[in-house]
mmCIF file of all heavy atoms in Angstrom:
data_model
loop_
_atom_site.group_PDB
_atom_site.id
_atom_site.type_symbol
_atom_site.label_atom_id
_atom_site.label_comp_id
_atom_site.label_asym_id
_atom_site.label_seq_id
_atom_site.Cartn_x
_atom_site.Cartn_y
_atom_site.Cartn_z
ATOM 1 N N THR R 10 2.790 31.709 11.911
ATOM 2 C CA THR R 10 1.398 31.664 11.475
ATOM 3 C C THR R 10 0.711 30.493 12.301
ATOM 4 O O THR R 10 1.353 29.688 12.922
ATOM 5 C CB THR R 10 1.219 31.220 10.013
ATOM 6 O OG1 THR R 10 1.894 29.935 9.815
ATOM 7 C CG2 THR R 10 1.905 32.241 9.098
ATOM 8 N N ASP R 119 -6.793 20.789 1.908
ATOM 9 C CA ASP R 119 -8.176 21.297 1.728
ATOM 10 C C ASP R 119 -8.776 21.746 3.084
ATOM 11 O O ASP R 119 -9.451 22.728 3.109
ATOM 12 C CB ASP R 119 -9.032 20.126 1.141
ATOM 13 C CG ASP R 119 -8.711 19.829 -0.313
ATOM 14 O OD1 ASP R 119 -8.082 20.688 -0.994
ATOM 15 O OD2 ASP R 119 -9.079 18.792 -0.778
ATOM 16 N N VAL R 131 5.005 37.389 15.909
ATOM 17 C CA VAL R 131 6.337 36.947 16.390
ATOM 18 C C VAL R 131 7.061 36.406 15.191
ATOM 19 O O VAL R 131 6.483 35.625 14.310
ATOM 20 C CB VAL R 131 6.176 35.857 17.473
ATOM 21 C CG1 VAL R 131 7.503 35.264 17.854
ATOM 22 C CG2 VAL R 131 5.431 36.341 18.682
ATOM 23 N N TRP R 150 21.618 6.776 0.445
ATOM 24 C CA TRP R 150 22.310 7.918 1.028
ATOM 25 C C TRP R 150 21.325 9.071 1.070
ATOM 26 O O TRP R 150 20.331 9.141 0.359
ATOM 27 C CB TRP R 150 23.614 8.259 0.339
ATOM 28 C CG TRP R 150 23.460 8.579 -1.121
ATOM 29 C CD1 TRP R 150 23.658 7.723 -2.163
ATOM 30 C CD2 TRP R 150 23.099 9.814 -1.718
ATOM 31 N NE1 TRP R 150 23.496 8.367 -3.368
ATOM 32 C CE2 TRP R 150 23.176 9.687 -3.105
ATOM 33 C CE3 TRP R 150 22.778 11.120 -1.199
ATOM 34 C CZ2 TRP R 150 22.847 10.690 -4.016
ATOM 35 C CZ3 TRP R 150 22.436 12.111 -2.084
ATOM 36 C CH2 TRP R 150 22.475 11.914 -3.477
ATOM 37 N N ASP R 168 13.345 -2.337 -8.104
ATOM 38 C CA ASP R 168 13.458 -3.471 -8.985
ATOM 39 C C ASP R 168 12.042 -3.852 -9.469
ATOM 40 O O ASP R 168 11.537 -4.946 -9.152
ATOM 41 C CB ASP R 168 14.126 -4.628 -8.260
ATOM 42 C CG ASP R 168 14.367 -5.837 -9.147
ATOM 43 O OD1 ASP R 168 14.284 -5.608 -10.404
ATOM 44 O OD2 ASP R 168 14.619 -6.937 -8.668
ATOM 45 N N LEU R 247 7.042 13.820 -1.075
ATOM 46 C CA LEU R 247 6.088 14.247 -0.142
ATOM 47 C C LEU R 247 6.343 13.718 1.276
ATOM 48 O O LEU R 247 6.326 14.491 2.311
ATOM 49 C CB LEU R 247 4.653 13.836 -0.560
ATOM 50 C CG LEU R 247 3.396 14.167 0.323
ATOM 51 C CD1 LEU R 247 2.164 14.126 -0.599
ATOM 52 C CD2 LEU R 247 3.189 13.255 1.504
ATOM 53 N N MET R 273 15.728 6.746 6.640
ATOM 54 C CA MET R 273 16.838 7.521 6.147
ATOM 55 C C MET R 273 16.636 9.022 6.364
ATOM 56 O O MET R 273 17.473 9.732 6.784
ATOM 57 C CB MET R 273 17.091 7.255 4.613
ATOM 58 C CG MET R 273 18.233 7.970 4.067
ATOM 59 S SD MET R 273 19.848 7.401 4.651
ATOM 60 C CE MET R 273 19.853 5.754 3.938
ATOM 61 N N LEU R 281 22.110 16.091 10.970
ATOM 62 C CA LEU R 281 22.218 17.531 10.816
ATOM 63 C C LEU R 281 22.148 18.267 12.118
ATOM 64 O O LEU R 281 22.977 19.077 12.434
ATOM 65 C CB LEU R 281 21.115 18.028 9.875
ATOM 66 C CG LEU R 281 20.964 19.488 9.797
ATOM 67 C CD1 LEU R 281 22.178 20.147 9.085
ATOM 68 C CD2 LEU R 281 19.684 19.932 9.081
ATOM 69 N N ARG R 285 26.475 21.006 15.280
ATOM 70 C CA ARG R 285 26.150 22.394 15.547
ATOM 71 C C ARG R 285 26.957 23.280 14.542
ATOM 72 O O ARG R 285 26.587 24.454 14.319
ATOM 73 C CB ARG R 285 26.436 22.820 16.955
ATOM 74 C CG ARG R 285 26.042 24.258 17.277
ATOM 75 C CD ARG R 285 24.557 24.476 17.108
ATOM 76 N NE ARG R 285 24.150 25.837 17.217
ATOM 77 C CZ ARG R 285 24.306 26.722 16.160
ATOM 78 N NH1 ARG R 285 24.687 26.329 14.977
ATOM 79 N NH2 ARG R 285 23.919 28.006 16.324
ATOM 80 N N SER R 293 14.248 37.018 10.367
ATOM 81 C CA SER R 293 14.187 38.198 9.597
ATOM 82 C C SER R 293 14.645 39.420 10.357
ATOM 83 O O SER R 293 14.291 39.575 11.572
ATOM 84 C CB SER R 293 12.759 38.415 9.000
ATOM 85 O OG SER R 293 12.686 39.627 8.391
ATOM 86 N N SER R 295 13.806 42.279 9.090
ATOM 87 C CA SER R 295 12.803 43.233 8.632
ATOM 88 C C SER R 295 11.550 43.194 9.376
ATOM 89 O O SER R 295 11.107 42.145 9.788
ATOM 90 C CB SER R 295 12.507 42.933 7.074
ATOM 91 O OG SER R 295 11.416 43.692 6.659
ATOM 92 N N VAL R 308 20.582 34.287 14.898
ATOM 93 C CA VAL R 308 20.158 34.537 16.295
ATOM 94 C C VAL R 308 20.852 33.437 17.182
ATOM 95 O O VAL R 308 21.500 32.558 16.749
ATOM 96 C CB VAL R 308 18.613 34.378 16.388
ATOM 97 C CG1 VAL R 308 17.905 35.439 15.640
ATOM 98 C CG2 VAL R 308 18.168 32.987 15.985
#
Side-chain angles (χ1 to χ4, degrees):
T10 61
D119 291 343
V131 175
W150 56 264
D168 184 18
L247 182 158
M273 183 67 68
L281 170 69
R285 187 58 191 87
S293 172
S295 170
V308 297

